[in-house]
Amino acid sequence: MAVVLKKCKRNGVKLVQETCSVRFLKKRLPIVAWLPRYNLEKFQGDLIAGLTVGLTVIPQGLAYAAVAELPLQYGLYSAFMGCFIYCLFGTSKDVTLGPTAIISLMTAEYAKGEPTLAIALCLCAGLVQFAMGVLQLGFLVNFMAFPVISGYMSAAALIIGCGQLKLIFGLKNVRRSFIWNIYDTFRKLPETNHWDLTLGIISFVILLIMKWLKDRNWDKDRDPFTPLTTRQRVGRKAVWLIGTGRNALIVIVTTILAGILFSNNIKPFTMTKDVPPGFPKVGPPSFSYQHNNQTVEGEEFLSNLGAGIAVLPLIAILETIAYGKAFASRNKYRIDATQELLALGIANIVSSFFGSYPMSCSCSRTAINSTSGVRTPLGGIFAGLLVILALAFIMPYFRYIPSAVLGAVIIASVINMFEYQVIPKQWRIHKPDLLVWMVCFLCVLFLGIQFGILVGVGLGLVIELYGLAKPGTKVDTIDCCPKIVVVKFDKGLSFPASDFIVTTIHDAGLDEPPYKPVILDFAHVSHLDFSVIRSLALSVEEYATNNTPLYFACVNRDLEAKLKKASIKNLQCFPTVQLATEAILGATREDGDVHQPILMTEVSLDHLDVSSDTGEVLQNHTSHSDRDNHETTV
């Protein structure tokens, strides 16, 4: 007991020392590592990138709040505090936190247009993410395979895009669910506001043109040895700047146009609702709200959030880590996935005190941040400050923003999220993945987000488990006397494959008389669990009962040790298939009957230095018996 207490005390002292070290502080508060090296050059890059991202997030925040079915100001409430928190705790210079299309759609699904529920969901999501970071459970997102993620995001893009058609057409009282949304939109087409439709289409086309100009490779047909003129450099910079700030530009221009018309009592467009000016009320989230003159609180309040408390944090983690790793790889640095979980969790927790709904990493704004020349996470500070200025001074003018323009901004933002190009690739490469993609896509559309994700993950796991239950095997026959069967497994063997292994080994040599010796080639097997070893023992016993050899070849040292510990009677292991074949042929010639018991001294890998090439077959085999001293070709 004293030894145990002494060991616990020593480990506790070591943990305290590590926690209080400068290294731990730099790991958990990354700003401490890079801030001492901050200089004017980095400040310039961060300032330009931060202002550019800020001009992008303001119109996007308003548009995504509409997707979340919340008042527009909540989009801006969600757009600044995450930038400040991530600057302290984040490990990526490119990542920007804030409202995103996917998380906004999920917020609409679970908060049902109630701001109190959305803010409480933000707090719950942050607590879940922080706990996962502390417990290092980020690996759970790995169970969402690419087909599930792609199918879900494609369905979400379609749902979001179709949900904005009511704004483009100027329709009212359109239901939210995908099927009813499509039905109501087509049913109410005669009620279309043609001014909204015209403005929405023009805005959408202009946004696409601006994006094309920004992304176009202007150096494709240019002589690389010819330097750019000053006019060309200025022109390219202007095109990039206009293309990057296209959302803000189109919103500003159309807002000015609508404001001028409105001041002259001309109201052709459907406007957004009035947005209250000023900073959000700071305080802990409320866990009660009024609905139909009744107070909803406690268990009923949490039940309204439903599966969103678990599903939404996982999707946000997936977005943040995936985009963070992608841009870190592109810009040649590394991020700490656990620290990213902690940063995202803290950002959501703190933001919920400022009226925010759940946030995540935005792919489009992160790309803009990267291409704008950001140098450190401090760039997010300038983006957040710009949002605060918008809240303080220009909120009253948001009432002049035409709804059709916000719809066009959203559709243009999510149009590239529909990953149609992966469909033919999955068909050519691995058709089961396409099945998972289609099932997840359709289930998200027709059953809802959480059911679609669960069904997609479940189907992916079933397909993976089926592969474990029926591992790839290759059965070859060495044409000699007697015929020898070589069974080759192509992966580690786990308990789902137990019955399959017994059946395969039985059918290889004992399917019908005359029975054939079998060699199990374990060259590609790196894992065996207890259930599999038990199945192998049953097979060895079955072959011994039928006086037929069953030998193991190319077993690595760890697996050989496991097999020995299982005390399998009549176990025979050989370093190569060739040596196992020689043993069978030699014993056959000595006994004259392959069905006689063959008892041999086990050959250890530790004492033989021979090739483990499993494709090696016995060529020009020479018998060790003087009686059969002639060349035999196998």
Side-chain angles (χ1 to χ4, degrees), residues 554 575-577 609-614 616:
C554 306
T576 66
V577 174
D609 184 16
V610 294
S611 169
S612 61
D613 182 6
T614 59
E616 186 176 7

Side-chain angles (χ1 to χ4, degrees), residues 291-404:
H291 180 68
N292 293 333
N293 296 324
Q294 293 183 348
T295 301
V296 179
E297 58 185 356
E299 184 179 350
E300 184 181 359
F301 183 94
L302 294 176
S303 65
N304 286 335
L305 296 177
I309 296 177
V311 177
L312 190 146
L314 289 178
I315 299 299
I317 291 170
L318 185 68
E319 282 190 326
T320 302
I321 294 181
Y323 296 146
K325 285 185 176 181
F327 283 93
S329 175
R330 180 182 302 177
N331 295 318
K332 296 179 175 59
Y333 65 91
R334 295 181 62 84
I335 65 170
D336 185 340
T338 299
Q339 185 62 26
E340 291 296 295
L341 279 178
L342 296 173
L344 181 61
I346 296 172
N348 273 310
I349 292 172
V350 175
S351 294
S352 68
F353 285 74
F354 292 84
S356 168
Y357 70 85
M359 68 179 70
S360 176
C361 172
S362 167
C363 181
S364 60
R365 295 195 298 274
T366 298
I368 290 172
N369 201 30
S370 179
T371 56
S372 299
V374 70
R375 303 294 296 276
T376 70
L378 193 67
I381 297 292
F382 303 112
L385 290 175
L386 194 60
V387 174
I388 291 177
L389 291 176
L391 286 169
F393 298 108
I394 65 175
M395 289 284 278
Y397 301 102
F398 289 163
R399 63 192 296 263
Y400 297 114
I401 299 177
S403 297

Side-chain angles (χ1 to χ4, degrees), residues 117-281:
L117 281 173
I119 297 171
L121 184 60
C122 181
L123 175 63
C124 294
L127 291 173
V128 170
Q129 291 158 349
F130 183 79
M132 291 181 65
V134 172
L135 299 175
Q136 299 186 5
L137 298 178
F139 70 91
L140 291 177
V141 299
N142 295 331
F143 287 98
M144 295 184 63
F146 173 80
V148 177
I149 299 169
S150 177
Y152 158 70
M153 294 186 67
S154 298
L158 188 59
I159 293 172
I160 294 171
C162 292
Q164 306 313 304
L165 292 179
K166 62 179 182 290
L167 302 181
I168 299 293
F169 288 96
L171 305 177
K172 300 182 184 302
N173 299 322
V174 176
R175 283 169 284 190
R176 184 173 63 84
S177 64
F178 178 72
I179 296 298
W180 289 113
N181 183 281
I182 297 297
Y183 174 77
D184 288 346
T185 299
F186 280 96
R187 183 172 61 86
K188 295 189 174 187
L189 280 181
E191 304 174 15
T192 298
N193 182 330
H194 295 89
W195 289 103
D196 284 341
L197 179 61
T198 303
L199 182 63
I201 291 176
I202 292 174
S203 301
F204 178 71
V205 171
I206 291 175
L207 288 170
L208 292 184
I209 292 174
M210 287 182 173
K211 183 179 185 303
W212 178 80
L213 289 174
K214 182 183 78 73
D215 296 338
R216 186 177 185 274
N217 184 8
W218 296 95
D219 293 325
K220 183 178 181 181
D221 299 322
R222 188 181 69 86
D223 184 0
F225 300 102
T226 304
L228 294 173
T229 63
T230 302
R231 181 179 299 178
Q232 287 175 323
R233 287 197 299 270
V234 172
R236 291 189 179 189
K237 195 67 176 178
V239 168
W240 179 86
L241 187 60
I242 292 173
T244 301
R246 60 188 180 276
N247 292 331
L249 185 62
I250 199 73
V251 169
I252 291 172
V253 171
T254 54
T255 300
I256 293 174
L257 173 62
I260 293 174
L261 294 175
F262 190 86
S263 63
N264 290 287
N265 204 26
I266 302 174
K267 304 176 182 179
F269 307 121
T270 303
M271 301 296 206
T272 57
K273 297 178 181 179
D274 290 343
V275 180
F279 207 66
K281 182 180 178 181

Side-chain angles (χ1 to χ4, degrees), residues 555-557 560 564 573-576 579 601-611:
V555 184
N556 67 46
R557 288 172 180 162
E560 185 180 7
K564 288 179 179 178
C573 294
F574 294 87
T576 66
L579 289 177
T601 302
E602 187 172 335
V603 182
S604 173
L605 286 172
D606 298 330
H607 303 291
L608 287 177
D609 184 16
V610 294
S611 169

Side-chain angles (χ1 to χ4, degrees), residues 410-427:
I410 295 172
I411 295 175
S413 299
V414 303
I415 193 171
N416 291 326
M417 287 171 51
F418 191 94
E419 300 181 344
Y420 62 88
Q421 66 275 10
V422 305
I423 296 176
K425 290 182 179 179
Q426 291 179 119
W427 176 259

